[in-house]
Amino acid sequence: MTPVLLLAAEKESAQVTDWAARIGWVVGLALFVALVYWLMREGWKWRGTLQGDLPELPTTPDETGPERLAMSGRYHGSTTAGQWLDRIVAHGLGTRSRAELTLTDAGLDVVRPGASDFFVPAAQLREARLDKGIAGKVLTEGGLLVVTWEHGDKLIDSGFRSDHAAEHNEWVEAINSMIETNSREGAER
């Protein structure tokens, strides 16, 4: 036999899988993912603690008057007004969910299945506008209805997306008109 054939005959294939090393890597990766998840959760809880001075959210009054507008869609979160990345998590405001919005003479009623409902009295509404993003949710230009309202001594932006985005303009006009009417009536008193 030639020396090349002897060398080829003596070589053995390397073992395909080193199971101990593979299991070690999988366990290490799982522990790393668990650690990152735990740190994110602790950060969320810490943010809620820092925002503990935010008063309890108002609940819907017994009598709200006739319905001006209604919308179903998604609630994408609330932030400090003008700071679209400063998410507010206290009192469940950071939880994204389905939402049913109802605008009445008394204010804006936000019903969220699986999350805390809240009510924004008409006197606390400050502005409504179309925007493209809020706290981790970015949409096309004008794809998000953002309502600015006052709660305690803090101005809050809350972002909503209707199942029918064409409704957003009507909501902006109705809320801003309601704010102007309330401002005029307040000035006349």
Side-chain angles (χ1 to χ4, degrees):
M1 272 191 170
T2 64
V4 174
L5 290 176
L6 283 175
L7 284 174
E10 291 176 12
K11 295 222 180 215
E12 291 183 22
S13 299
Q15 190 175 5
V16 174
T17 305
D18 181 5
W19 286 104
R22 184 165 291 184
I23 290 171
W25 276 104
V26 168
V27 168
L29 182 61
L31 288 173
F32 177 73
V33 168
L35 174 67
V36 168
Y37 176 77
W38 179 78
L39 288 171
M40 288 171 47
R41 187 166 183 260
E42 290 300 307
W44 187 268
K45 289 179 4 185
W46 178 249
R47 182 173 277 276
T49 301
L50 291 175
Q51 296 168 347
D53 62 338
L54 196 67
E56 286 294 321
L57 297 173
T59 57
T60 308
D62 293 332
E63 187 57 43
T64 59
E67 177 182 297
R68 288 184 176 197
L69 287 173
M71 172 175 84
S72 68
R74 297 210 45 91
Y75 168 77
H76 287 290
S78 291
T79 63
T80 303
Q83 299 176 12
W84 73 284
L85 291 176
D86 186 21
R87 184 186 298 268
I88 296 176
V89 300
H91 307 299
L93 287 175
T95 306
R96 290 186 179 160
S97 62
R98 293 283 307 155
E100 300 291 328
L101 273 65
T102 307
L103 183 64
T104 64
D105 292 333
L108 179 65
D109 186 24
V110 182
V111 177
R112 302 185 308 152
S116 303
D117 301 342
F118 62 95
F119 181 77
V120 181
Q124 304 309 108
L125 290 169
R126 297 295 176 254
E127 176 191 19
R129 68 182 185 281
L130 297 180
D131 213 329
K132 65 179 178 180
I134 193 165
K137 184 64 176 181
V138 179
L139 300 163
T140 59
E141 190 67 43
L144 195 65
L145 170 66
V146 176
V147 177
T148 304
W149 52 289
E150 186 176 358
H151 185 56
D153 61 349
K154 190 172 208 130
L155 282 178
I156 298 174
D157 283 343
S158 293
F160 305 95
R161 170 108 173 137
S162 173
D163 291 337
H164 309 285
E167 295 176 334
H168 289 172
N169 288 325
E170 184 180 8
W171 275 82
V172 168
E173 290 171 14
I175 291 173
N176 287 333
S177 167
M178 192 167 139
I179 293 167
E180 288 174 19
T181 302
N182 288 343
S183 296
R184 272 195 307 268
E185 289 174 0
E188 290 174 0
R189 290 183 192 167

